[in-house]
Amino acid sequence: MAPKHDDTSSTLAFLEGSRSGIRYDADELRSTDPADGRTLLARYDLEAARGRLTRDVIAVRRGGLWRWEELLPVRRRSFITTLGEGSTPLLPPARLARKLGLSGLHIKAESVNPTGSFKARGMAVAVSRAAELGAAHLVAPSAGNAAGALAAYAAAAGIHATVVMPADAPAANQLEVLACGARLILLDGLISDCGKLARLLGEKTGAFDMATLREPYRVEGKKTLGFELAEDFGWSLPEAVVYPTGGGTGMIGMWKAFEELEALGLIGPARPRMYAVQSDGCAPIVRAFEQGAEFADPWLNAKTRAAGIRVPSALGDHLILDCLRRSGGGAIAVPEAEIEAMQVYAAEHGAGYLCLESAAALAALPVMREQGLIDRDERVALFDTGAGFKSEPPSMKRPAVVPNDPSAWLDLISALD
Ligand SMILES: *Cc1c(COP(=O)(O)O)cnc(C)c1O
């Protein structure tokens, strides 16, 4: 297509209530399903996309998630707001994999995304689409990386943003919001309270609510994780996907991506077993999975240092649970104390300085091996969802400061172990 042409090849057709199945016009700014308050999902004309999006076509396109434009919602190129998100490497963490006895372990390095986390994928697409549909002010509650990603992409699009964060959210996330010129409201409350304040602010000011799964398009950005996994693994999906689950956008998105890829003939019917990992300090999805429930009751007194998975109540709970069950996967709660220990262990064993959420996912692996949920040779995909720097720092003892006196340095060096 001619580069001066502004049309993307988006085949977006309509929005669909994720429970009601009711169809809505996709070219209006919409939040949740008016019928039941649940998430709206974007549906595409997959027949039309099938002819255009082939393995060969994708292979020669330039990097980044926008190479999947047929299956993304933005219709005009001039509204694409990008900071270079997507096309992250899939790495074999050799030493760690050996230690864990999992020769097929792969880590998708999502922390190399702009803003240091995979929240960039969702926000890049959702902010672009909101701008295309005329939004002038965006608001979102966040306990972590969604805040910085919204602020960064809103700044890139030239749109106002307001972020409502719990006052105890990591300082790195708060300062990122301020640096990007967004308005920051710090609430003496939980993330669920921040969500209520954000919704009220939206109603009163007309700001569009970008909260997790309360608009249709962050899932669309996150689903590109699933597209890339398929491509990275040579169009044959891994046997297991292990995902640190908060709101579940990535889990829901990947599952949707696999369905779309199959409809396009790019993959077959085989699916990975999908596993959700949470901290035992906040494990509503694990509890609901074990109870065989369709929805997850809110988790009281949610407590985990991994802010991205400190989500006591997820609007997409039924979609997450459905995906876990249909895939033959499961849900694992890891002890909170093991999360930080694994962060350090993984870094020592060459997997990089990962965020606590990724460490939680890694911490589930030994348990999953023991319980026979994964085999040592299976291909397992895990996600480095955010940079270690963006989490609360580990509680490690730092060394004493050496005096700047060269006469003392020889003693120091000979005393090193
Ligand atoms: C948000 C977040 C998660 C959880 O992702 P969901 O798709 O919302 O479940 C995991 N890790 C990090 C670093 C995050 O910021």
Side-chain angles (χ1 to χ4, degrees):
M1 61 221 84
K4 60 178 184 289
H5 205 277
D6 196 31
D7 286 349
T8 65
S9 303
S10 174
T11 60
L12 179 65
F14 55 89
L15 297 175
E16 185 180 61
S18 58
R19 263 179 72 73
S20 73
I22 300 173
R23 293 182 177 196
Y24 300 93
D25 177 5
D27 288 299
E28 271 176 44
L29 206 52
R30 288 184 191 275
S31 47
T32 48
D33 187 344
D36 58 10
R38 293 276 162 179
T39 305
L40 290 172
L41 295 174
R43 298 295 181 204
Y44 297 81
D45 180 351
L46 296 173
E47 270 310 306
R50 190 182 169 101
R52 290 185 228 153
L53 198 61
T54 64
R55 291 181 188 179
D56 292 343
V57 165
I58 294 159
V60 297
R61 283 189 185 169
R62 260 202 282 181
L65 62 75
W66 297 100
R67 51 212 279 278
W68 303 95
E69 66 178 8
E70 284 84 353
L71 299 177
L72 291 174
V74 179
R75 298 200 194 274
R76 279 172 290 166
R77 296 230 160 88
S78 44
F79 285 100
I80 290 179
T81 298
T82 180
L83 296 171
E85 55 290 333
S87 291
T88 57
L90 180 75
L91 305 170
R95 288 187 57 219
L96 182 67
R98 226 172 338 200
K99 276 283 176 189
L100 297 175
L102 287 168
S103 59
L105 179 61
H106 292 76
I107 297 185
K108 190 138 171 81
E110 287 295 295
S111 62
V112 305
N113 274 304
T115 74
S117 94
F118 70 165
K119 289 290 190 297
R121 288 185 190 263
M123 285 300 181
V125 172
V127 169
S128 298
R129 183 64 177 154
E132 182 171 41
L133 296 179
H137 180 190
L138 306 174
V139 62
S142 169
N145 293 316
L150 174 61
Y153 283 94
I159 301 181
H160 286 294
T162 299
V163 179
V164 187
M165 301 183 88
D168 62 358
N173 298 117
Q174 297 185 15
L175 293 166
E176 186 181 10
V177 170
L178 294 174
C180 292
R183 182 194 290 127
L184 174 63
I185 298 174
L186 289 179
L187 183 69
D188 179 15
L190 304 171
I191 183 66
S192 44
D193 304 313
C194 294
K196 286 179 202 150
L197 175 50
R199 279 200 288 289
L200 185 64
L201 192 143
E203 281 162 26
K204 297 294 173 197
T205 68
F208 184 65
D209 191 354
M210 301 283 276
T212 305
L213 298 172
R214 284 188 188 278
E215 59 74 52
Y217 299 119
R218 282 174 61 191
V219 171
E220 295 305 292
K222 278 271 193 86
K223 86 180 176 190
T224 59
L225 273 177
F227 294 161
E228 288 183 23
L229 269 193
E231 199 184 10
D232 293 342
F233 280 102
W235 304 105
S236 127
L237 296 172
E239 282 71 46
V241 165
V242 181
Y243 188 81
T245 304
T249 321
M251 175 77 79
I252 295 163
M254 278 188 279
W255 194 247
K256 185 171 186 287
F258 301 152
E259 285 174 0
E260 293 174 358
L261 290 178
E262 188 182 356
L264 262 61
L266 293 170
I267 59 168
R271 294 288 182 274
R273 303 188 308 278
M274 307 291 284
Y275 293 96
V277 179
Q278 300 193 304
S279 159
D280 67 356
C282 179
I285 298 296
V286 180
R287 183 174 61 192
F289 182 83
E290 287 170 356
Q291 291 171 345
E294 188 187 356
F295 298 99
D297 291 331
W299 191 271
L300 301 178
N301 303 318
K303 215 171 162 328
T304 168
R305 294 180 68 241
I309 56 173
R310 195 192 300 137
V311 179
S313 174
L315 187 63
D317 52 0
H318 62 112
L319 296 172
I320 303 170
L321 289 160
D322 188 50
C323 153
L324 301 179
R325 294 192 177 115
R326 279 172 48 201
S327 73
I332 295 102
V334 295
E336 177 68 17
E338 284 177 22
I339 296 177
E340 185 178 312
M342 181 52 90
Q343 184 188 35
V344 175
Y345 185 87
E348 277 173 359
H349 290 87
Y353 181 38
L354 311 175
C355 63
L356 290 166
E357 294 82 354
S358 311
L362 282 171
L365 295 178
V367 183
M368 294 173 71
R369 275 277 284 136
E370 239 164 69
Q371 296 180 354
L373 296 176
I374 40 175
D375 289 336
R376 57 177 310 115
D377 301 324
E378 278 189 322
R379 293 170 305 160
V380 177
L382 195 134
F383 302 88
D384 154 18
T385 55
F389 308 107
K390 299 200 78 181
S391 294
E392 297 287 359
S395 47
M396 300 179 87
K397 199 166 173 302
R398 288 186 292 162
V401 175
V402 172
N404 193 9
D405 168 9
S407 70
W409 291 353
L410 276 182
D411 284 346
L412 168 86
I413 290 167
S414 56
L416 294 176
D417 51 24

